[in-house]
Amino acid sequence: MESHISIDSRIISHLGEMLISDEKVALLELVKNSSDADALKCEIVIDTIAENEYGKGLMIVEDNGNGMNRHIIESGFLRIATSFKQQNQKYSYIFNRLALGSKGVGRLALNRLGYFIIVETKLNLEILNKLDDTLILNNFGVTEKQKIIEENENYYYRFVLNWSDFEVDSLTLDSIPIVIQKIQDEKIKFCGESHGTRITIMGLKGNNYWEKKETKVELEKDVLAFMNPFQDKKANFSVKIDLNKEIFKSDLYDKTRIENIASSKTKFKFNLLSKFVEFEITRSLQYIEGLVSNMRKRMEDLGFELKDTINFEELYKKHCNVKPFRISILEQDINKRYSKVNLKSLYQDDKGEYFLPGDFEGAIYAFSRSSTEIKKLLESISGVNLYRNNFRVMLGEQKDWLGLGHIERTYYRNIYSPNNVVGYVYIDGEENLEKLAELTNREGLKQDEYGKNFLTLMRDFIAIIMTYEDDKFREIFELPSSMRLNKLKSNEIISFDDGLIKFQKIEDSFGKFKETIDEKTDLSEKKIANLIPYIEGEKGIEVLNLVTTDIKKEITEIKSHIQSLENDQHKKYNQIELERENLEQFYPLIGATIVAETLAHEITRLSNGIKFSSLQLRKLLFNNEEVWRKAERNLSLIDSNTKFLNRYAAMLDINSYSKRRRYEVIDLKEYLLSTFEDSPLLSYKNINVNLEIKGEGFKQKVVKEGLKIIFENLIINSVYWLSKMQINNPTINIQFRNNNKIQLWDNGFGIHNDISDKLFEPFVSNKPLNEGRGMGLYIVKEMLKEVSGDIQLLNETNSHDNRYKFEIIFRGELQ
């Protein structure tokens, strides 16, 4: 006897929850279906206050698309995971749109959204003129056009889905009847047209979601986010959402205006046949002028003046429009020019052929936040988004999916910061519909060989080349080291950009002034002396003496003023030195505050852990008395977290750092071993860092609390970046050498080349805003001075071609 697999009717609810992640994704699924149906408009009304017999909340999704006849309803809409659209409606028949809702799960979005569904739909008979007999048969179930017209011209179809019918025990999915009504009404309208679909959802399951304040903000952004704001003005699909009388629309952005106000723009296009990526880079006049202006100000602050008028016309000609270039992704020597490009991880088949996506293209615009218009633009559509046929492909929470933040922190300082870019990548075309498939829940691309290779090409090829080119451009306007500038003599000239920009060292104005006064004084005295032989008589000599006395008096007063200026200058210098010495008294407190700031975050995290464990424990004890084994585990977690909290509290005792400093002779290695044994500083977020202290220790006269602050700041800095860069087996090494040197390094990426020469200056940091102030290493260097110590970054580089090893030298009393 034969048997068959049957599906319980409740599978609808389960699939809806699993495949449609939230209400916003469900709504997007319905909008995509409207686009697939050749709609010009999709209008959505959400009313969270309305009440009906199915619960609270009402939603209406209406479009003026092609609508459906009975055959499409039965073979397409009511059949889950059908290939009907993929086989018969891969491209829409009027506007030739590539189908986006092709997975046959759109109706599950309805289950996610509400309890009771009413569908009303009327066929657009114009599409009959677009189809041959075979397509008419496949789409409408019959071949006679006249019969289709007679059945649909003055009629529309209506059916309901009561999801509670599917929750009944022991019913199979195909045993629940759906009644499709054929209703005569030639005047029915859908978004003002005589054809389309209207879906009414009663009793919203996520009514609370739509009422949240955050949802309004998200919805306003995401209406723009899932519709492509860069599409051409002739694009013919718009979305309007009315949420409790607040209107949100899918407005288009003026792409020409975006291009005009962008500081820098990179366009790229990948061709599968040639395996080349073409690049086109454009920079604005304002971008160049801004870099020149900043450079000029900094040079003037350092005692230089612009030598000649800058030929901006030549600068624009040279840098605004970079000659388009193209690079093969298979080029063997690409690393000679772009050392950070890494395509070794591209997946290949057994024959060595790469799993490459179809053609794709994009443009990325970078901005300096110099105007209200730009700030507003970045607030609305910041980030680079992925689009397929003018609909966004969601990439989950990966806003910076190109890794621009990682590039900025570790490789190249450039204008393409993740918070200052707007852009798009188009993966249109039938080939990419197959190769770059989306996850069923619409939350990103499938991470198969094609999906991973596409992301690798974008992150490790296109993004690297784009940011490298900008970094090399910005280097033109970077100042040389202060050591080199200080060596230049008065009136000596330094050139930039092949001589297009020149600066001249200004003479010491005070010294020149004093020298001039001395010369004039000597000259006046000589002139007076030369007059004496020519004056006869006592009266003449008397007049001459009076004039000479007055002149000498004036000269004496001038010299007195000069001396006063010199004295004032010396006093000011002494005051500055005194202030610096006074400021040094606060370095330990500032250093301790940096440590305290880091620990505060950890205390919050541990406190939350304690609260959660405590809550779990209470639940277990309340529901079942025989849970002591599980309860004991939570108690252990509470004890462990409490222990760490106590240690943190001890480290946060600022008074211990600010007490009067006392010098002691200690064994530095023994002190560091005891200080950092099981130190909470070696744990950050979800990682634990290994600390290895090696070498033969030595004794040194130091301030113990100061030494503690010095190494705590160094370790905090290392742990931060090891965590940020997600380094495997993160390790910090401390090596004692030569009886007066200690070296410290970690196995991370090392120090960014842009700041390696100015690392110990105040306010220099590669950390994102609000995560670092650039004071830690400056304070370390200043605090080492009080024990005749110093710190430097050695020239030795790691596998990432970055300097990475610090060396502390003690030149004071050795024991």
Side-chain angles (χ1 to χ4, degrees):
M1 180 178 179
E2 292 183 350
S3 184
H4 302 279
I5 295 175
S6 62
I7 300 177
D8 194 292
S9 61
R10 286 178 295 184
I11 189 67
I12 294 290
S13 178
H14 298 325
L15 287 175
E17 292 177 0
M18 287 189 297
L19 300 181
I20 308 296
S21 60
D22 57 34
E23 286 77 9
K24 194 165 56 179
V25 173
L27 185 63
L28 176 58
E29 198 68 36
L30 299 182
V31 172
K32 286 184 176 181
N33 285 340
S34 293
S35 174
D36 293 346
D38 276 324
L40 291 171
K41 295 180 181 179
C42 177
E43 297 183 353
I44 300 163
V45 176
I46 305 171
D47 185 346
T48 63
I49 301 174
E51 294 188 7
N52 51 74
E53 59 183 303
Y54 301 100
K56 189 177 181 181
L58 173 73
M59 182 184 297
I60 300 173
V61 181
E62 182 176 337
D63 67 54
N64 57 0
N66 292 327
M68 298 178 283
N69 73 337
R70 179 183 290 274
H71 179 74
I72 296 174
I73 293 171
E74 293 176 339
S75 301
F77 192 94
L78 293 178
R79 183 168 295 178
I80 295 173
T82 179
S83 59
F84 182 84
K85 186 182 290 187
Q86 190 69 14
Q87 293 176 350
N88 305 311
Q89 300 175 357
K90 198 165 194 175
Y91 289 89
S92 64
Y93 295 121
I94 296 179
F95 298 117
N96 201 35
R97 297 172 182 163
L98 182 63
L100 296 170
S102 58
K103 300 182 183 300
V105 297
R107 66 282 295 134
L108 297 179
L110 297 174
N111 178 270
R112 176 78 190 214
L113 290 170
Y115 294 100
F116 188 82
I117 313 297
I118 302 173
V119 180
E120 299 167 299
T121 183
K122 185 177 182 182
L123 188 66
N124 179 11
L125 295 175
E126 291 183 12
I127 62 176
L128 295 176
N129 300 323
K130 306 283 185 179
L131 309 178
D132 57 26
D133 290 343
T134 301
L135 286 174
I136 290 176
L137 176 63
N138 292 341
N139 277 274
F140 306 110
V142 295
T143 56
E144 299 86 353
K145 289 186 180 180
Q146 190 58 39
K147 184 177 180 180
I148 297 173
I149 293 172
E150 290 175 359
E151 290 183 349
N152 294 276
E153 187 172 20
N154 297 317
Y155 297 90
Y156 74 93
Y157 292 92
R158 182 182 189 275
F159 61 94
V160 301
L161 297 171
N162 188 344
W163 296 122
S164 63
D165 293 343
F166 293 78
E167 297 296 326
V168 180
D169 291 338
S170 303
L171 286 180
T172 59
L173 189 60
D174 57 358
S175 67
I176 299 175
I178 303 294
V179 178
I180 302 175
Q181 298 175 284
K182 182 179 179 181
I183 302 172
Q184 185 173 4
D185 186 348
E186 64 272 17
K187 295 183 179 180
I188 190 170
K189 296 292 182 181
F190 301 86
C191 292
E193 298 290 341
S194 60
H195 53 80
T197 300
R198 181 185 302 113
I199 300 175
T200 304
I201 306 169
M202 304 173 70
L204 299 183
K205 293 182 178 180
N207 207 45
N208 291 336
Y209 170 81
W210 301 110
E211 290 179 333
K212 291 179 180 178
K213 292 181 179 180
E214 295 85 355
T215 299
K216 295 178 182 179
V217 177
E218 286 180 18
L219 196 58
E220 186 174 17
K221 289 184 177 180
D222 290 344
V223 168
L224 296 175
F226 64 70
M227 299 296 297
N228 179 9
F230 297 97
Q231 59 187 315
D232 296 332
K233 290 183 178 180
K234 63 181 180 180
N236 48 19
F237 180 60
S238 64
V239 179
K240 175 184 175 183
I241 299 178
D242 179 339
L243 173 59
N244 293 329
K245 305 302 181 183
E246 290 191 57
I247 307 299
F248 309 98
K249 295 181 180 180
S250 58
D251 298 325
L252 297 179
Y253 278 88
D254 186 345
K255 190 160 64 174
T256 302
R257 180 58 181 162
I258 290 176
E259 291 183 351
N260 288 340
I261 63 176
S263 297
S264 183
K265 174 187 66 179
T266 298
K267 287 188 174 181
F268 54 88
K269 183 181 293 186
F270 170 71
N271 182 274
L272 175 60
L273 184 62
S274 67
K275 309 295 189 298
F276 275 94
V277 177
E278 297 178 1
F279 290 89
E280 181 182 332
I281 298 174
T282 307
R283 304 182 182 104
S284 72
L285 309 183
Q286 293 77 13
Y287 183 28
I288 296 174
E289 288 173 353
L291 291 174
V292 172
S293 177
N294 290 336
M295 176 191 196
R296 183 173 178 177
K297 183 179 183 303
R298 291 169 62 195
M299 288 296 288
E300 287 174 351
D301 290 342
L302 293 171
F304 290 80
E305 64 181 359
L306 193 64
K307 172 62 175 172
D308 301 309
T309 302
I310 298 175
N311 188 343
F312 278 102
E313 184 177 349
E314 188 65 26
L315 276 176
Y316 300 152
K317 182 180 178 181
K318 186 175 182 181
H319 299 299
C320 274
N321 295 296
V322 178
K323 184 179 179 180
F325 59 95
R326 64 177 193 160
I327 304 174
S328 171
I329 65 169
L330 304 180
E331 185 177 326
Q332 296 297 317
D333 296 332
I334 189 171
N335 291 106
K336 289 184 178 180
R337 181 176 178 185
Y338 303 104
S339 61
K340 304 301 181 183
V341 166
N342 180 16
L343 296 180
K344 294 179 181 178
S345 60
L346 284 176
Y347 288 88
Q348 303 175 0
D349 61 18
D350 295 336
K351 298 179 181 179
E353 297 292 328
Y354 291 106
F355 293 95
L356 295 177
D359 296 354
F360 64 86
E361 61 182 283
I364 301 178
Y365 307 90
F367 301 84
S368 58
R369 294 176 176 261
S370 55
S371 69
T372 303
E373 179 186 7
I374 292 175
K375 290 176 183 177
K376 186 176 180 181
L377 172 70
L378 292 172
E379 287 172 2
S380 6
I381 55 169
S382 68
V384 180
N385 293 327
L386 188 64
Y387 296 98
R388 192 197 305 274
N389 298 95
N390 287 328
F391 274 86
R392 182 179 175 187
V393 178
M394 297 294 187
L395 292 171
E397 298 299 321
Q398 301 180 51
K399 181 179 179 181
D400 186 22
W401 61 282
L402 289 177
L404 296 178
H406 172 76
I407 293 172
E408 182 187 30
R409 290 189 298 270
T410 57
Y411 298 153
Y412 310 123
R413 296 295 295 272
N414 62 92
I415 197 171
Y416 291 91
S417 171
N419 293 322
N420 293 332
V421 296
V422 168
Y424 59 85
V425 181
Y426 293 158
I427 54 171
D428 301 341
E430 189 172 338
E431 185 168 20
N432 278 335
L433 192 64
E434 300 294 333
K435 289 183 174 181
L436 300 179
E438 293 177 60
L439 297 171
T440 308
N441 64 3
R442 308 291 192 186
E443 286 296 307
L445 296 176
K446 283 185 178 178
Q447 288 303 288
D448 56 12
E449 289 85 352
Y450 289 106
K452 290 179 179 178
N453 279 0
F454 167 73
L455 292 178
T456 298
L457 287 175
M458 286 301 308
R459 291 171 180 162
D460 299 334
F461 187 84
I462 291 173
I464 292 290
I465 291 174
M466 173 184 72
T467 52
Y468 171 85
E469 291 294 333
D470 188 72
D471 178 74
K472 296 303 291 182
F473 165 66
R474 292 168 69 92
E475 273 187 11
I476 296 169
F477 308 98
E478 285 291 323
L479 272 58
S481 66
S482 56
M483 184 178 297
R484 180 187 169 191
L485 291 175
N486 290 335
K487 288 181 179 179
L488 295 179
K489 298 178 181 179
S490 295
N491 298 320
E492 195 167 346
I493 294 174
I494 183 169
S495 299
F496 298 87
D497 199 10
D498 300 325
L500 286 176
I501 305 173
K502 297 178 181 178
F503 291 94
Q504 186 175 31
K505 185 72 176 289
I506 301 173
E507 293 181 301
D508 182 0
S509 57
F510 185 81
K512 187 68 176 176
F513 171 70
K514 182 182 177 183
E515 183 180 327
T516 301
I517 291 294
D518 288 340
E519 288 177 358
K520 295 295 183 184
T521 301
D522 292 340
L523 183 61
S524 298
E525 290 178 346
K526 288 179 181 178
K527 287 181 178 179
I528 293 171
N530 292 334
L531 286 174
I532 294 175
Y534 300 98
I535 299 176
E536 298 179 356
E538 294 182 1
K539 190 65 175 177
I541 293 175
E542 183 180 347
V543 172
L544 179 62
N545 288 336
L546 289 174
V547 173
T548 303
T549 301
D550 288 341
I551 291 175
K552 288 184 177 181
K553 183 179 179 181
E554 293 294 333
I555 291 174
T556 301
E557 288 182 5
I558 291 173
K559 289 186 174 181
S560 175
H561 287 310
I562 293 174
Q563 186 62 48
S564 296
L565 287 174
E566 285 184 312
N567 293 338
D568 286 343
Q569 185 186 36
H570 185 67
K571 288 178 181 178
K572 293 294 183 184
Y573 176 80
N574 290 337
Q575 288 176 359
I576 293 172
E577 284 296 302
L578 182 60
E579 291 297 330
R580 187 186 65 78
E581 292 175 4
N582 291 335
L583 186 60
E584 288 180 352
Q585 306 299 317
F586 292 93
Y587 288 152
L589 185 59
I590 297 172
T593 303
I594 293 174
V595 175
E597 186 178 42
T598 301
L599 297 180
H601 293 292
E602 292 301 295
I603 286 179
T604 301
R605 182 179 65 83
L606 289 175
S607 296
N608 291 336
I610 290 175
K611 290 178 182 178
F612 178 77
S613 298
S614 178
L615 179 62
Q616 293 297 101
L617 181 59
R618 290 189 182 93
K619 288 181 179 179
L620 290 169
L621 291 174
F622 181 80
N623 294 326
N624 192 333
E625 294 183 1
E626 299 179 359
V627 293
W628 282 110
R629 186 173 301 172
K630 293 182 180 179
E632 188 176 10
R633 179 175 178 273
N634 279 283
L635 280 170
S636 298
L637 287 173
I638 291 174
D639 292 341
S640 175
N641 287 344
T642 304
K643 175 184 175 182
F644 274 94
L645 279 175
N646 290 332
R647 293 199 63 180
Y648 283 144
M651 297 179 73
L652 283 171
D653 182 8
I654 300 299
N655 288 327
S656 66
Y657 294 100
S658 58
K659 292 174 183 176
R660 193 172 75 175
R661 290 172 292 179
R662 183 165 59 88
Y663 287 89
E664 302 176 57
V665 175
I666 62 172
D667 186 298
L668 299 187
K669 184 177 180 181
E670 290 181 2
Y671 180 71
L672 293 182
L673 285 170
S674 63
T675 299
F676 294 105
E677 183 180 6
D678 297 326
S679 172
L681 291 178
L682 296 171
S683 298
Y684 184 75
K685 294 185 178 179
N686 297 321
I687 73 160
N688 292 313
V689 177
N690 301 315
L691 176 63
E692 297 185 3
I693 302 177
K694 298 180 179 179
E696 185 176 347
F698 55 83
K699 292 183 178 182
Q700 181 70 35
K701 188 175 182 180
V702 296
V703 179
K704 284 194 347 183
E705 292 301 322
L707 187 72
K708 185 179 180 183
I709 292 171
I710 288 168
F711 279 91
E712 282 176 347
N713 274 276
L714 291 170
I715 286 174
I716 284 174
N717 199 52
S718 279
V719 171
Y720 172 88
W721 286 111
L722 290 170
S723 172
K724 195 82 171 177
M725 298 297 106
Q726 299 179 351
I727 301 298
N728 293 327
N729 189 30
T731 303
I732 298 173
N733 297 279
I734 296 178
Q735 179 75 47
F736 282 77
R737 295 183 181 277
N738 300 332
N739 210 34
N740 73 328
K741 294 179 181 179
I742 303 176
Q743 293 180 349
L744 183 144
W745 71 95
D746 58 51
N747 61 337
F749 284 95
I751 308 301
H752 196 293
N753 289 331
D754 285 343
I755 65 169
S756 58
D757 288 331
K758 49 187 176 182
L759 192 61
F760 299 103
E761 296 177 11
F763 311 113
V764 173
S765 176
N766 260 347
K767 291 181 181 178
L769 290 175
N770 301 322
E771 289 193 27
R773 295 169 180 79
M775 289 295 291
L777 291 175
Y778 170 68
I779 289 169
V780 164
K781 191 174 185 68
E782 293 300 318
M783 290 184 66
L784 279 168
K785 290 180 180 178
E786 72 178 5
V787 289
S788 300
D790 196 8
I791 185 171
Q792 62 179 339
L793 180 65
L794 299 181
N795 290 326
E796 182 180 343
T797 58
N798 58 17
S799 59
H800 304 283
D801 295 326
N802 290 324
R803 296 159 68 185
Y804 71 104
K805 188 175 290 186
F806 293 96
E807 184 173 77
I808 296 174
I809 305 172
F810 292 97
R811 299 189 178 92
E813 300 179 33
L814 298 178
Q815 301 293 326

